[in-house]
C-alpha cells in the first residue's frame, strides 16, 4: 500500500492528531454503528431468552428464601449417620458398580465396529456412515434413565434393566467419540500399510489401533466414570443399585440413613475418579 505524500512542514514536525480524530478512527476501526447495533441485538435476544426461561422455570427467590430454614434443619438432622444397615448398603453399592461395568463393557464391544463404519477416513461402507450417525445421535439423545425405565417394563425390576439402559446410551456416545479419535489420525501410516497390500482388518490392527488406542482407552475410562455416577439415579426408576435405598430414605425422611448412603456414594465416586484419573495419566 502506497503511503500518501507528507504535507510540507517547513522543517517542523506534524502536529499530533486531536482526541476527536483518534476517537473517530477507533470507532471506525471497531465497525461503527452497525457493529454496536448487531451486538445490541444479540444482547437483547439473550436477555429475552433468559427472562423467558426464568418465567417458564417458575424461579421464585422469595419462596427459596422462606424455605431456607427448613433446608438448614434437614442438614442438621443428617448427623450422626446410621451405619446399622451398612452391609445392605455395601451390597447396593456393588450392584451400582456392576451396572456401570457391564453397561460400559457391552458399549465398548458395540462401539468399536460402529466407530469403524462411521469414521470417514477408515470406513469400508461410506453409504452406511450417514444413517448410522443419525442412529447413534438417537441413542445419545435418549437419557440412560429413560432407557432403563423402558427396559424395566420389558425385563422387570432389577439391575439387568439398568445395565441395558447404560449400554444403549453409552454405545451412542462412545461410538461417536471413538470415530472422532479415528478421524484425527494421520493418513500417512494408514496409506503406507494399505500400499503394502494389507486388507482392512490388518490395516486397522497394525496402523489404526496402535495410534488410536490411548485415546480410545481414555474415552472408555471417562464414560465408565460417568456411568458410575448416572447408575446411582437408576435405582429411582426401579433398576436397582444404591439409588433405590436413597429413594426410600428420602420418602421416609430418614436422615441418618440418608446421610450414610450419601457418604458411601461420595466415597465410591471419589475412588472411581481417582482411579480413572491415575489410569489416564499413565496412558498419557
Amino acid at each position: 500500500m502506497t503511503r500518501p505524500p507528507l504535507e510540507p512542514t517547513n522543517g517542523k514536525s506534524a502536529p499530533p492528531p486531536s482526541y476527536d480524530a483518534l476517537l473517530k478512527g477507533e470507532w471506525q476501526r471497531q465497525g461503527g454503528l452497525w457493529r454496536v447495533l448487531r451486538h445490541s441485538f444479540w444482547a437483547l435476544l439473550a436477555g429475552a431468552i433468559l427472562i423467558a426461561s426464568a418465567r417458564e422455570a417458575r424461579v421464585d427467590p422469595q419462596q427459596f428464601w422462606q424455605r431456607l430454614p427448613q433446608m438448614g434443619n434437614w442438614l442438621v438432622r443428617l448427623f450422626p449417620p446410621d451405619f446399622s444397615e451398612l452391609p445392605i448398603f455395601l451390597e447396593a453399592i456393588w450392584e451400582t458398580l456392576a451396572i456401570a461395568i457391564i453397561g460400559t463393557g457391552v458399549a465398548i464391544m458395540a462401539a468399536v465396529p460402529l466407530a469403524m463404519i462411521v469414521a470417514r477416513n477408515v470406513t469400508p461402507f461410506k453409504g452406511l456412515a450417514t444413517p448410522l450417525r443419525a442412529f447413534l445421535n438417537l441413542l445419545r439423545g435418549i437419557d440412560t434413565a429413560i432407557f432403563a425405565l423402558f427396559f424395566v417394563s420389558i425385563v422387570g425390576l432389577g439391575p439387568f434393566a439398568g445395565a441395558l439402559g447404560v449400554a444403549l446410551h453409552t454405545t451412542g456416545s462412545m461410538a461417536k467419540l471413538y470415530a472422532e479419535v479415528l478421524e484425527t489420525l494421520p493418513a500417512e501410516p494408514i496409506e503406507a500399510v494399505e500400499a503394502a497390500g494389507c486388507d482392512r482388518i490388518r490395516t486397522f490392527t497394525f496402523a489404526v489401533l496402535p495410534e488410536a488406542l490411548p485415546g480410545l482407552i481414555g474415552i472408555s475410562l471417562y464414560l465408565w466414570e460417568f456411568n458410575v455416577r448416572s447408575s446411582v439415579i437408576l435405582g429411582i426408576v426401579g433398576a436397582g443399585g444404591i439409588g433405590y435405598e436413597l429413594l426410600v430414605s428420602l420418602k421416609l425422611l430418614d436422615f441418618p440413613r440418608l446421610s450414610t448412603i450419601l457418604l458411601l456414594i461420595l466415597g465410591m465416586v471419589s475412588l472411581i475418579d481417582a482411579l480413572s484419573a491415575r489410569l489416564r495419566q499413565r496412558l498419557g
Side-chain angles (χ1 to χ4, degrees):
M1 182 176 177
T2 306
R3 291 187 175 183
L6 297 175
E7 294 291 337
T9 58
N10 298 326
K12 299 180 180 178
S13 60
S18 65
Y19 176 75
D20 290 341
L22 288 173
L23 193 61
K24 186 177 179 181
E26 182 64 17
W27 171 264
Q28 290 177 346
R29 191 183 68 82
Q30 292 186 1
L33 182 61
W34 169 243
R35 182 184 176 93
V36 173
L37 289 175
R38 192 175 55 189
H39 286 188
S40 300
F41 169 75
W42 289 114
L44 287 173
L45 182 62
I49 292 174
L50 186 63
I51 293 172
S53 301
R55 294 187 63 177
E56 186 65 22
R58 297 184 179 89
V59 175
D60 188 352
Q62 186 178 3
Q63 184 184 16
F64 177 77
W65 183 254
Q66 289 174 348
R67 300 292 176 86
L68 202 55
Q70 183 179 359
M71 187 183 299
N73 180 36
W74 285 12
L75 289 175
V76 170
R77 292 170 61 185
L78 284 172
F79 298 96
D82 178 12
F83 292 100
S84 60
E85 296 181 75
L86 189 59
I88 297 174
F89 296 155
L90 288 176
E91 186 177 350
I93 285 281
W94 167 237
E95 196 170 84
T96 299
L97 281 173
I99 291 171
I101 291 170
I102 295 298
T104 308
V106 171
I108 290 172
M109 289 188 288
V112 171
L114 289 173
M116 288 177 60
I117 298 174
V118 167
R120 295 180 179 87
N121 57 336
V122 296
T123 179
F125 309 107
K126 293 186 182 299
L128 282 178
T130 300
L132 198 53
R133 279 180 180 273
F135 176 66
L136 294 177
N137 288 337
L138 176 66
L139 293 182
R140 287 192 305 118
I142 300 175
D143 191 75
T144 304
I146 304 298
F147 272 129
L149 198 59
F150 173 72
F151 283 112
V152 162
S153 62
I154 294 178
V155 300
L157 298 171
F160 184 41
L164 288 172
V166 170
L168 273 186
H169 175 76
T170 307
T171 297
S173 303
M174 196 170 277
K176 182 180 185 299
L177 294 173
Y178 279 1
E180 289 180 356
V181 170
L182 296 178
E183 288 175 350
T184 58
L185 296 178
E188 291 79 8
I190 301 174
E191 291 172 355
V193 173
E194 286 178 340
C198 291
D199 55 18
R200 289 190 176 275
I201 295 178
R202 290 182 178 177
T203 301
F204 181 80
T205 304
F206 297 113
V208 177
L209 191 58
E211 290 286 334
L213 195 58
L216 300 183
I217 294 176
I219 290 169
S220 305
L221 288 171
Y222 174 78
L223 288 179
W224 174 59
E225 181 186 318
F226 175 81
N227 286 336
V228 170
R229 291 193 293 270
S230 66
S231 296
V232 174
I233 308 298
L234 298 182
I236 296 175
V237 298
I242 194 65
Y244 174 75
E245 302 295 341
L246 186 70
L247 179 65
V248 170
S249 299
L250 282 171
K251 283 184 175 179
L252 298 175
L253 296 180
D254 190 341
F255 292 102
R257 192 175 191 270
L258 176 63
S259 175
T260 307
I261 293 171
L262 292 177
L263 287 174
L264 289 173
I265 292 174
L266 176 64
M268 176 185 68
V269 172
S270 300
L271 187 63
I272 295 299
D273 284 352
L275 177 64
S276 179
R278 186 172 180 81
L279 288 174
R280 285 202 299 269
Q281 188 177 15
R282 289 178 68 89
L283 286 171

